[in-house]
Amino acid sequence: MDIIDMDALALSAAIDAKTVSAVEVMQATLTRIDAVNTDVNAIVSLRDRDELFAEAARADTEPRKGWLHGIPIAIKDLAKASGLPTSEGSPLFAGHIAAKDDLMVGRLRAEGALIIGKTNTPEFGLGSHTFNPVHGATRNPYDLGKSAGGSSGGAAAALATRMLCVADGSDMMGSLRNPAGWNNVYGMRPTWGTVPSEAEGDMFLHQLSTSGPMARSPTDLGALLDVMTGADPHQPHGFSPADTLPQLARDLPRQRIGWLEDWQGALPYADGIKELSELALGQLGALGHDVDWIAPGFEADDLWHSWITLRSFSVAAGLRALYDDPDKRDHLKPAAIWEVERGLAMDAMTLQHASEVRSDWFRRTTDLFEQVDVLALPSAQLWPFDVDMTYPTEIAGVQLDTYHRWMQVVIPASLLGLPVVNIPIGFGANGLPAGLQLIGRRGSDARLLQLAQVWHAATTWPQKHPPKILT
């Protein structure tokens, strides 16, 4: 098997056994980037090659730091990596060099990862379509005329095209799930609090976004998750779960999977999305698990309004300083201005009501998880759309009222910080890939990855169906 096609753990073992060197891995990585990145535009801010080869050569002579030793990684361009620009997709920050690593990035580096550059993201991570005025658009490697999703679209496309073997991402509103589904790879939103953010600003109110792993196999997801997780003593929330990877080798009990379908008609789906999802659920049933439709028992609109209230509150808190400066405000995209202005206009009781709805939904999911072990929904409500489109305005004839309404299917898990694994489930008649969300109760990350591993062993979609751009 070529170096570039190896999963991360297999590559790690080869480096450890010295059957392949870190220099050879770096050479293969940069050769692949040269071959495909011009078309896909997933890797940005690539570092100087001589520096990268020097780092790889040192990795070949230094004591092994961890399982990522000698493995090239590019960091999503919302996180800071020392010595690299962190544009966040905004011209306001283009060229700004990070003085230090974010906590999560530092953990990857301490495990031996060689950070080669960044992966592309939408401006400030807003919108599940990776384009921005700094680096341009990331294209879907299964159809270069389509979106790669987002906001971890650069990471997902880099994995699909074998420019990376493992990647980090982040997820507020599906950003580890939608792009994974659209690029035929795995993405995981872990239980909120297991992967700490930065000990900056307010650390109590905003509990929507989290970092997490992306990979071409669930075992690689688990291995990277174990590096990323662990409470930060400088932050009030969070906990340190037991290592996930060792648990994936254990036998998985029969799982009860509850199919939420289209939320009793509340969520419009493009033709083929529900059918492909149900085909995958049938396969999970054939693998020995119980799959049944289950009623959500909660109004989709109530969830939606709770979500967009809390999201705008969070976005406004993060971007208000830029918005308050008229010169900088002119450089914010319309979605960012819309979010900030909604957030600034809210009163305390509006936020209280949104939090009460979220609390009601938590109580309802407690009941649901008495009936099933896992909830299932599509990872997106439509197929990858044209890369030149800003965002979809309708699905199956239903008009959409915001720039992100087409991603409503991801908010039931995001609102509560539940763990979710996107599994790739194949391709539509249009030749484009899709994914399925497997949602668990808080803390069930390892169990979800066990189920994903059972699926992967039976299907191996990322390995069997690489993008045609590679052939």
Side-chain angles (χ1 to χ4, degrees):
M1 178 181 291
D2 288 345
I3 288 173
I4 215 70
D5 291 317
M6 297 173 74
D7 286 349
L9 283 171
L11 187 57
S12 174
I15 293 172
D16 188 28
K18 300 190 183 303
T19 58
V20 66
S21 69
V23 168
E24 289 173 317
V25 174
M26 185 63 71
Q27 180 64 69
T29 298
L30 295 178
T31 298
R32 177 53 54 88
I33 290 172
D34 286 343
V36 303
N37 195 51
T38 299
D39 290 331
V40 176
N41 192 36
I43 305 287
V44 299
S45 303
L46 187 66
R47 291 177 54 203
D48 178 79
R49 289 166 184 267
D50 289 340
E51 291 180 3
L52 292 175
F53 279 118
E55 282 189 12
R58 286 195 297 272
D60 281 329
T61 61
E62 294 173 344
R64 188 170 171 83
K65 296 179 180 179
W67 81 266
L68 287 172
H69 191 90
I71 292 180
I73 287 184
I75 302 299
K76 184 175 177 179
D77 199 25
L78 296 182
K80 295 181 178 65
S82 177
L84 283 169
T86 309
S87 76
E88 301 185 53
S90 169
L92 295 172
F93 297 114
H96 283 213
I97 305 300
K100 64 181 184 67
D101 289 336
D102 279 352
L103 177 62
M104 178 271 298
V105 177
R107 289 177 173 181
L108 300 180
R109 203 189 294 272
E111 193 74 9
L114 303 182
I115 297 174
I116 64 172
K118 306 300 281 290
T119 56
N120 203 19
T121 185
E123 182 180 332
F124 301 116
L126 297 177
S128 199
H129 175 27
T130 299
F131 72 100
N132 63 69
V134 179
H135 298 296
T138 297
R139 295 174 177 271
N140 192 304
Y142 287 92
D143 182 338
L144 295 175
K146 302 295 184 184
S147 169
S151 61
S152 306
L159 285 167
T161 52
R162 280 58 173 169
M163 289 188 278
L164 300 175
C165 63
V166 72
D168 75 288
S170 57
D171 185 310
M172 177 185 275
M173 194 174 176
S175 295
L176 282 158
R177 294 165 275 165
N178 161 248
W182 280 6
N183 287 273
N184 190 38
V185 298
Y186 291 86
M188 182 176 190
R189 179 191 168 101
T191 296
W192 192 89
T194 61
V195 179
S197 56
E198 296 305 293
E200 299 172 350
D202 175 78
M203 297 189 293
F204 285 89
L205 290 175
H206 304 292
Q207 299 185 27
L208 300 179
S209 184
T210 181
S211 294
M214 304 182 81
R216 293 193 297 270
S217 72
T219 50
D220 283 358
L221 281 184
L224 191 60
L225 181 66
D226 288 343
V227 177
M228 301 171 83
T229 56
D232 175 16
H234 300 99
Q235 299 186 54
H237 302 298
F239 58 96
S240 298
D243 280 350
T244 301
L245 185 60
Q247 299 181 60
L248 300 195
R250 300 175 186 171
D251 290 337
L252 177 67
R254 190 180 188 94
Q255 296 293 287
R256 301 165 299 165
I257 302 171
W259 169 227
L260 292 167
E261 199 182 30
D262 60 1
W263 213 273
Q264 295 182 283
L267 300 178
Y269 293 153
D271 287 347
I273 294 291
K274 187 173 76 166
E275 292 78 9
L276 190 60
S277 298
E278 290 178 341
L279 179 62
L281 289 164
Q283 291 175 277
L284 283 167
L287 292 171
H289 302 289
D290 296 322
V291 181
D292 290 297
W293 176 83
I294 190 170
F298 207 91
E299 289 294 326
D301 275 350
D302 290 345
L303 277 185
W304 176 250
H305 290 294
S306 172
W307 172 258
I308 62 172
T309 297
L310 295 170
R311 176 180 165 95
S312 291
F313 173 48
S314 179
V315 173
L319 297 182
R320 179 173 183 173
L322 300 177
Y323 178 86
D324 284 345
D325 183 328
D327 292 334
K328 293 179 178 177
R329 185 190 309 164
D330 287 343
H331 293 285
L332 298 178
K333 71 177 185 178
I337 292 174
W338 180 84
E339 295 277 18
V340 172
E341 290 181 346
R342 290 188 79 251
L344 295 179
M346 289 172 188
D347 59 36
M349 289 301 101
T350 298
L351 292 171
Q352 174 69 18
H353 177 68
S355 187
E356 288 170 351
V357 172
R358 173 158 63 171
S359 300
D360 288 340
W361 173 230
F362 182 85
R363 284 183 277 268
R364 173 57 184 156
T365 59
T366 301
D367 294 336
L368 290 175
F369 285 124
E370 290 297 319
Q371 302 172 56
V372 298
D373 302 299
V374 176
L375 297 168
L377 281 167
S379 294
Q381 292 168 233
L382 72 172
W383 304 98
F385 50 82
D386 288 348
V387 70
D388 295 326
M389 182 184 294
T390 305
Y391 56 84
T393 57
E394 65 89 23
I395 299 175
V398 176
Q399 297 302 305
L400 306 176
D401 55 358
T402 71
Y403 78 98
H404 51 8
R405 188 69 177 242
W406 64 275
M407 286 303 298
Q408 187 172 352
V409 74
V410 303
I411 68 168
S414 292
L415 198 58
L416 302 184
L418 300 179
V420 193
V421 176
N422 168 82
I423 58 171
I425 59 172
F427 296 77
N430 51 18
L432 296 173
L436 186 73
Q437 297 180 78
L438 301 178
I439 306 167
R441 68 185 77 208
R442 288 179 60 83
S444 67
D445 304 57
R447 182 64 61 86
L448 285 178
L449 283 171
Q450 282 183 290
L451 180 58
Q453 180 58 28
V454 169
W455 171 259
H456 182 68
T459 60
T460 60
W461 279 112
Q463 289 70 30
K464 289 195 304 187
H465 293 272
K468 290 182 180 178
I469 192 175
L470 302 183
T471 60

